[in-house]
Amino acid sequence: MTSISTVLLVWLVLAPLSSRADGLRAAICSPDGRNAIDLRVASEDADQVRYTIKRDGRKLFGPSPLGPVLNVGRPLGEDARIIDVQLGSIDESFTLPWGKTTTAANRCSSAVVNLASGDARVQWQVELRAYDDGVAFRYRLLPQDRLGECEIQDEATQFDVLGEPQALFNTLDSFTTSHESLYEHKPLAEIPANKLLEMPLLLTWPGGTAAAITEARVRHFAGMYLQRPVEKPATFSCRLSPLPSRPDTSVVGQTPCESPWRVVLLADRAGKLLESNLLLCLNDPPPPALGDFSWLRPGKTSFHWWYGAFEDDYQPAAARHAFLERHKRYIDFCAANNIAYHAVSGDGRAWYSQSSASYAAPSPDADVRRARPELELPKIIDYARERGVGIRLWVHWKPLSEHLEEAFALYQTWGVQGLMVDFLDRDDQEMNEFTERMLASAARHHLHIQIHGSPKYSGEQRTFPNLFNREGVMNLEYAKWSDGVTPAHSVNVAYTRALAGPVDYHLGGFRSVSRAEFTPRDRAPVVMGTRCHNLALYVVYENPMPMVADDPSAYEGQPGFDFLTEVPTTWDETRFLIGEPGEYVVLARRQGNAWYLGGITNWTPREIDVPLDFLSAGEFEATLYADGSLDESLPNSLSKQQRVVTAATPLHIALAPGGGFVAVIRAQ
């Protein structure tokens, strides 16, 4: 990786005109002057530290308190005073091994505010940053005799919202969760009180201004949630995930102790937030000890579990040959169709040794170092290697954690290239630290990781590029047992979970049915939304390793499969083109000299004019895959057309109920 960095830390007398500081206040603006965050001590409010966020001079949040609640007393932000302020700026760029863009620009104004609080004069800092696409802040407890070890109970930070925005959000029942639930679109005042709210949470004001609240660089700390107090309908309080063994404590550690960044992404339209790399900018580059990541190979993957191809195979030895032959069929399919990986989970029970027959509940004797001999895993790996297909293994996190380094070293000798690690279902400090140990160990053994039962991304893929994707969203696996994953839900995901990073969605459903015909089924599940809608998800969602989750028989000879085999998984450039939260979304992503467009709608049919003004001058050839019928009862109908397009003329598209489109545009 390369970077060019200029970091200026200047004292007050050298502060840039866009920033200011005095004894009670520090304020910074983004390089373009549109976003601002300031921090002050409100002496009229018990010396409470408060922050305010503005865009174009309009106050969107605050004044709001911030800071931790230590186990030794009241919130640290109370009875505080500012000691001094250091103002500065960052101007750098860095390359990405994969992502929505090839490079990321890290440009912002910054401030470090030194504070002292309480009778003990506890020393701490608040760091502020203002970017063109959002603002961020974090707090840091400094080394000091009176606070060698710190214990953080929770967080006093709030987001006090101004105006009357609409909110797009999902709720969770507890801190122990798969992070998979449906979204709601409601006025701010109608958000349920005292429910845990997942992040990112999207707010849109009349006129289009959009903000998404989330976090970045969650390391050695607890994950954060939002909650609306009963008595404050326009306030989000922060809640930290507690330690499993200490429900009254969230973080334990030595000083210096640093919180994740609390982030507010900002834009004129909600869809523009999808272009942001801000979460990556707030994370660290890979540590040198992990070496380079030139071995990484993004690409699509099969996953036989979704179709259920092997779940009947758990029976005596007579089924062994059938199990091997089915895997060979998948591997041949991958090799023939530009699908880099094939995933192996098991045959109704895990591929590794354990007495439990459950994927979700491993028994104490589970041993991820011992493959069940009847499954002939070495033959599967050898067969895939000969055909240039990488093998990935599914594994439950708990037995993996007991033999982490040994198991990864063993997998590397076997020739395994990656893993799906499942059922974490937590983001407390302990689980987050295990995840980091897992990613570091996997990097040393040249293994990529996919996490299911997972919290959202927080930009940590910059530090650990071998983290290819996370689930953390209700997705098309639910087609096996629920009717919740509708086209409307997929649109909502684009404006919420997708703002945090890649979305692992069990893509590739090629048997679409109408709403009236849909019935969940475990074997050979069907999906809602048109075929073009499901193709468009490969463009709408960032994902360096998207699934092709259906059985090979569902794809062979089918219209639109040629697009699935062609569409890239990493991008040089990403543009939001048109859309509205809860309604529809259209994105364009470029790799090399080709643009790939993808658009999806909810159940509302619509005609849209997609602007092509991102193209350069001249004529281009567009291959368009559009809904072949506007009749919801014909969701697999697909029309493939060739058109000549220019930057001056929008692309007119008719979308069926639950419809979509994809297009590939190249210079003639």
Side-chain angles (χ1 to χ4, degrees):
M1 295 188 179
T2 61
S3 68
I4 300 173
S5 175
T6 303
V7 181
L8 303 176
L9 291 178
V10 294
W11 291 98
L12 307 186
V13 294
L14 298 178
L17 294 177
S18 61
S19 305
R20 59 169 294 185
D22 55 44
L24 296 177
R25 183 181 180 193
I28 56 173
C29 291
S30 57
D32 66 2
R34 300 189 63 188
N35 299 326
I37 180 169
D38 71 72
L39 186 79
R40 65 186 178 91
V41 172
S43 56
E44 71 279 7
D45 189 15
D47 290 332
Q48 172 74 60
V49 177
R50 293 185 177 272
Y51 74 95
T52 301
I53 296 172
K54 297 179 181 179
R55 181 167 173 84
D56 294 332
R58 175 188 179 186
K59 187 183 296 184
L60 300 179
F61 297 90
S64 301
L66 62 78
V69 179
L70 303 183
N71 280 13
V72 296
R74 59 183 176 178
L76 201 57
E78 296 181 3
D79 188 20
R81 62 186 177 90
I82 293 177
I83 305 301
D84 61 51
V85 179
Q86 297 169 301
L87 299 173
S89 64
I90 299 172
D91 188 353
E92 68 175 7
S93 63
F94 53 91
T95 60
L96 300 171
W98 57 265
K100 67 180 73 171
T101 59
T102 302
T103 61
N106 185 14
R107 297 180 62 243
C108 69
S109 299
S110 65
V112 176
V113 184
N114 289 289
L115 300 111
S117 293
D119 295 336
R121 291 293 129 198
V122 174
Q123 298 172 27
W124 60 302
Q125 293 177 332
V126 176
E127 187 173 357
L128 312 174
R129 291 190 187 178
Y131 293 81
D132 291 349
D133 49 352
V135 298
F137 59 89
R138 65 179 173 183
Y139 55 84
R140 182 182 298 111
L141 300 173
L142 299 175
Q144 52 204 287
D145 293 339
R146 62 181 64 85
L147 198 67
E149 182 176 87
C150 68
E151 294 188 0
I152 297 175
Q153 178 180 332
D154 212 319
E155 188 154 337
T157 302
Q158 294 181 2
F159 294 86
D160 295 285
V161 184
L162 283 297
E164 297 181 352
Q166 292 285 315
L168 187 59
F169 64 95
N170 61 324
T171 61
L172 302 171
D173 292 330
S174 73
F175 293 106
T176 304
T177 174
S178 64
H179 299 265
E180 298 166 6
S181 61
L182 292 171
Y183 293 90
E184 300 178 69
H185 202 182
K186 293 183 176 181
L188 175 67
E190 296 181 18
I191 293 177
N194 288 339
K195 293 281 288 184
L196 291 178
L197 304 171
E198 180 73 288
M199 299 187 298
L201 181 147
L202 179 71
L203 299 170
T204 53
W205 284 262
T209 299
I213 304 172
T214 190
E215 61 182 338
R217 196 187 179 277
V218 183
R219 301 187 65 182
H220 311 293
F221 213 85
M224 190 181 83
Y225 301 78
L226 302 174
Q227 193 172 66
R228 187 179 73 78
V230 172
E231 69 279 7
K232 295 182 178 181
T235 292
F236 297 117
S237 297
C238 295
R239 296 291 312 281
L240 298 181
S241 184
L243 292 166
S245 60
R246 298 181 60 180
D248 61 342
T249 303
S250 295
V251 178
V252 176
Q254 299 292 319
T255 55
C257 178
E258 192 169 70
S259 78
W261 291 96
R262 292 15 185 144
V263 182
V264 178
L265 300 172
L266 295 165
D268 293 334
R269 293 178 293 165
K272 292 290 288 184
L273 301 175
L274 285 160
E275 298 179 5
S276 175
N277 278 316
L278 179 52
L279 300 189
L280 298 180
C281 293
L282 293 169
N283 275 265
D284 307 317
L290 297 184
D292 70 65
F293 285 86
S294 59
W295 53 271
L296 282 177
R297 180 169 67 126
K300 306 178 190 81
T301 182
S302 65
F303 186 43
H304 63 80
W305 173 87
W306 187 78
Y307 176 74
F310 300 95
E311 303 311 297
D312 294 336
D313 281 341
Y314 181 60
Q315 50 185 292
R320 296 178 188 174
H321 182 68
F323 182 83
L324 176 60
E325 291 304 310
R326 286 181 181 179
H327 274 293
K328 287 182 176 180
R329 182 169 63 90
Y330 268 81
I331 291 166
D332 289 340
F333 169 73
C334 291
N337 292 291
N338 192 32
I339 299 169
Y341 300 104
H342 172 59
V344 177
S345 59
D347 57 353
R349 62 192 300 168
W351 62 267
Y352 47 83
S353 172
Q354 65 172 10
S355 55
S356 171
S358 170
Y359 285 119
S363 49
D365 63 349
D367 190 344
V368 299
R369 301 165 298 175
R370 294 174 53 209
R372 290 165 49 206
E374 67 269 25
L375 299 189
E376 301 182 295
L377 184 61
K379 290 184 179 180
I380 294 171
I381 296 173
D382 288 344
Y383 190 84
R385 183 188 298 112
E386 293 168 359
R387 284 150 184 80
V389 176
I391 289 294
R392 305 171 51 252
L393 299 178
W394 174 95
V395 64
H396 192 289
W397 81 271
K398 181 61 175 174
L400 176 65
S401 69
E402 295 166 0
H403 304 286
L404 187 64
E405 188 70 23
E406 184 181 356
F408 283 175
L410 191 63
Y411 299 161
Q412 186 178 22
T413 66
W414 289 357
V416 172
Q417 296 191 14
L419 292 101
M420 175 192 290
V421 184
D422 207 347
F423 294 110
L424 280 69
D425 294 344
R426 292 163 38 200
D427 65 345
D428 54 79
Q429 182 185 15
E430 291 176 357
M431 182 58 80
N432 290 341
E433 289 180 341
F434 161 74
T435 301
E436 186 161 324
R437 290 195 306 273
M438 174 181 67
L439 292 170
S441 178
R444 288 192 296 270
H445 295 290
H446 290 192
L447 297 167
H448 64 250
I449 298 293
Q450 167 190 22
I451 302 178
H452 279 202
S454 167
K456 64 192 177 301
Y457 269 102
S458 67
E460 69 275 20
Q461 68 270 36
R462 182 185 178 193
T463 308
F464 301 101
N466 58 321
L467 178 58
F468 268 175
N469 47 34
R470 286 183 177 271
E471 197 179 32
V473 65
M474 183 182 283
N475 59 78
L476 286 165
E477 70 176 352
Y478 276 72
K480 295 165 75 73
W481 59 78
S482 164
D483 63 357
V485 184
T486 65
H489 175 73
S490 297
V491 172
N492 288 338
V493 169
Y495 288 100
T496 50
R497 168 62 181 81
L499 300 178
V503 179
D504 202 4
Y505 206 69
H506 284 81
L507 297 182
F510 250 50
R511 287 184 301 275
S512 293
V513 297
S514 67
R515 280 174 284 187
E517 296 173 303
F518 181 83
T519 301
R521 63 193 197 200
D522 184 64
R523 187 68 174 266
V526 294
V527 295
M528 288 179 275
T530 66
R531 178 165 297 176
C532 281
H533 181 105
N534 285 281
L535 285 176
L537 296 179
Y538 285 89
V539 178
V540 171
Y541 299 152
E542 180 191 359
N543 191 336
M545 194 177 64
M547 292 185 189
V548 182
D550 216 330
D551 186 77
S553 62
Y555 302 113
E556 292 161 343
Q558 286 294 309
F561 183 56
D562 58 333
F563 176 82
L564 192 155
T565 63
E566 175 190 349
V567 63
T569 62
T570 66
W571 308 99
D572 298 325
E573 187 176 355
T574 290
R575 300 279 189 95
F576 167 74
L577 300 183
I578 190 173
E580 293 294 335
E583 298 293 329
Y584 72 106
V585 61
V586 181
L587 272 77
R589 302 189 191 266
R590 179 179 62 82
Q591 188 185 77
N593 61 3
W595 284 94
Y596 292 78
L597 278 61
I600 57 174
T601 183
N602 57 12
W603 287 120
T604 302
R606 65 184 81 236
E607 295 190 12
I608 57 175
D609 290 311
V610 179
L612 301 180
D613 52 5
F614 57 89
L615 296 174
S616 57
E619 293 186 338
F620 295 79
E621 182 177 16
T623 303
L624 173 66
Y625 301 76
D627 295 326
S629 172
L630 301 184
D631 185 340
E632 189 184 333
S633 67
L634 299 171
N636 292 299
S637 177
L638 180 151
S639 170
K640 182 178 179 181
Q641 310 166 30
Q642 300 295 132
R643 297 187 187 179
V644 174
V645 298
T646 67
T649 304
L651 189 63
H652 186 76
I653 305 289
L655 302 175
F661 82 95
V662 292
V664 185
I665 301 178
R666 292 185 174 90
Q668 287 189 308

